[in-house]
Amino acid sequence: MQKIVVIGSSNVDTTLHVENFPKPGETINAHKVSEAGGGKGGNQAVAAAKSAAETIFISRVGEDSYGSWMKEQLAGYGVKTDYVLPTAGVKTGHAYITLNAEGQNDIIIDHGANYSLTEADVLAAKDVIEAADCVIAQLETPLEATTAAFKLAKAAGKVTILNPAPAIKDLPADLLAVTDLITPNETESALLTSLPVAEEADLEKNAAKLHELGVKHVIITYGSKGAYLSSPVFTGLVPAFKVKAVDTTAAGDTFLGFLAGSLASDFSNLHEAARFANRASSLAVQKMGAQPSIPDRASVASALAE
Ligand code: RIB
């Protein structure tokens, strides 16, 4: 069984269901409002756990009812929450999501306790990080904590995966130096590389630039088209499965959790793991909500066999 440590955010997602996104200055009615567990870190932890990996999550929540609720939700999905720490004086992170009739979303985050995650929190989990096969992080929690975790993981010879979302322009060189695999979507990639992604042919140039920045394996997720892999073991587009999406929230997180849960430590099965992760993501987008939409390993395997 893979052992995965995820470092990252916990958010309560409040979703406003609308026909169309409002234009600037426009007031519209939502036809439904729903709430679910979310946060890119939490979603990736749930996906890794549901892919059948032993998953430990390092995160910060508020010392409020949402914080306890988040921990219960995560534990219910099989995530180990000993390192999901309550934080005095701040609220649990919250994401406000507008979801249109095509299943597309806009997300605004109130980061709350997520920015309280520290290097000391990570160092307190040194033993579990060193015992993991793979360590995953995103950019919704402080970079210092992620860098400290990746340095520990690399010193112990473990795999590190950085999902650079939400995008920032300049990632520190010391973080990139300890990142084995980076997984931006096309927008995040364009920001990181300062190169456009107007068409599929641009993905190769973007990936080359990300390699130049020091990362050996690159996956640029490309929405409903799939995922572009650029690695010594495989280069090319792994097509997405065609489905009707009702909610794309956590599609990328599901991809990443399932990828990590299936990936060999030498990356030799990268293509096969990406195809499995694409299938998991195609099931997630057919259900509402972030964490409630993430399928389990058996459903993904049977969908792949169809
Ligand atoms: O990737 C989707 C997630 O982004 C949502 O669950 C929301 O909480 C934001 O962090």
Side-chain angles (χ1 to χ4, degrees), residues 25-300:
E26 189 184 14
T27 302
I28 60 167
N29 279 312
H31 58 79
K32 184 178 144 189
V33 179
S34 57
E35 213 164 65
K40 293 183 197 307
N43 299 343
Q44 290 171 20
V46 169
K50 293 190 94 176
S51 82
E54 181 185 348
T55 306
I56 297 123
F57 186 33
I58 303 176
S59 186
R60 283 256 170 203
V61 291
E63 232 174 26
D64 49 21
S65 55
Y66 272 138
S68 341
W69 181 78
M70 284 298 306
K71 277 188 84 162
E72 277 163 30
Q73 295 286 306
L74 290 161
Y77 292 121
V79 175
K80 296 197 170 161
T81 59
D82 297 352
Y83 295 93
V84 178
L85 305 168
T87 316
V90 279
K91 290 186 297 180
T92 298
H94 213 117
Y96 298 91
I97 302 176
T98 314
L99 177 69
N100 76 5
E102 270 85 57
Q104 299 162 323
N105 62 40
D106 275 344
I107 305 181
I108 298 177
I109 292 170
D110 176 9
H111 56 76
N114 290 310
Y115 279 12
S116 307
L117 191 73
T118 63
E119 196 175 334
D121 293 336
V122 163
L123 296 178
K126 182 174 184 279
D127 291 353
V128 292
I129 291 171
E130 289 176 346
D133 297 299
C134 172
V135 177
I136 303 174
Q138 329 71 37
L139 300 181
E140 286 181 341
T141 43
L143 284 171
E144 298 73 31
T146 298
T147 306
F150 278 20
K151 282 184 176 165
L152 284 176
K154 283 320 299 166
K158 306 308 166 88
V159 171
T160 54
I161 305 180
L162 180 66
N163 175 223
I168 57 170
K169 186 157 170 43
D170 294 308
L171 278 174
D174 64 337
L175 175 57
L176 290 168
V178 285
T179 299
D180 292 316
L181 166 64
I182 193 163
T183 64
N185 66 20
E186 74 270 33
T187 315
E188 291 151 2
S189 179
L191 191 73
L192 284 171
T193 62
S194 303
L195 295 170
V197 184
E199 54 185 358
E200 202 178 308
D202 295 330
L203 296 171
E204 189 181 338
K205 288 185 207 124
N206 268 253
K209 180 74 188 178
L210 292 166
H211 289 310
E212 258 176 50
L213 294 175
V215 186
K216 188 169 178 186
H217 307 274
V218 172
I219 296 182
I220 304 174
T221 54
Y222 200 33
S224 59
K225 297 195 183 71
Y228 181 78
L229 276 49
S230 179
S231 154
V233 299
F234 181 87
T235 292
L237 187 74
V238 182
F241 292 82
K242 300 285 168 226
V243 294
K244 169 135 183 48
V246 298
D247 183 358
T248 53
T249 311
D253 301 328
T254 302
F255 176 88
L256 190 54
F258 270 81
L259 180 92
S262 318
L263 193 60
S265 58
D266 62 359
F267 283 71
S268 53
N269 67 343
L270 184 66
H271 178 255
E272 189 192 340
R275 196 161 173 273
F276 192 62
N278 266 348
R279 194 63 178 121
S281 183
S282 79
L283 297 184
V285 301
Q286 295 178 71
K287 281 194 167 179
M288 290 288 178
Q291 290 168 14
S293 73
I294 299 173
D296 60 21
R297 187 173 194 94
S299 317
V300 178

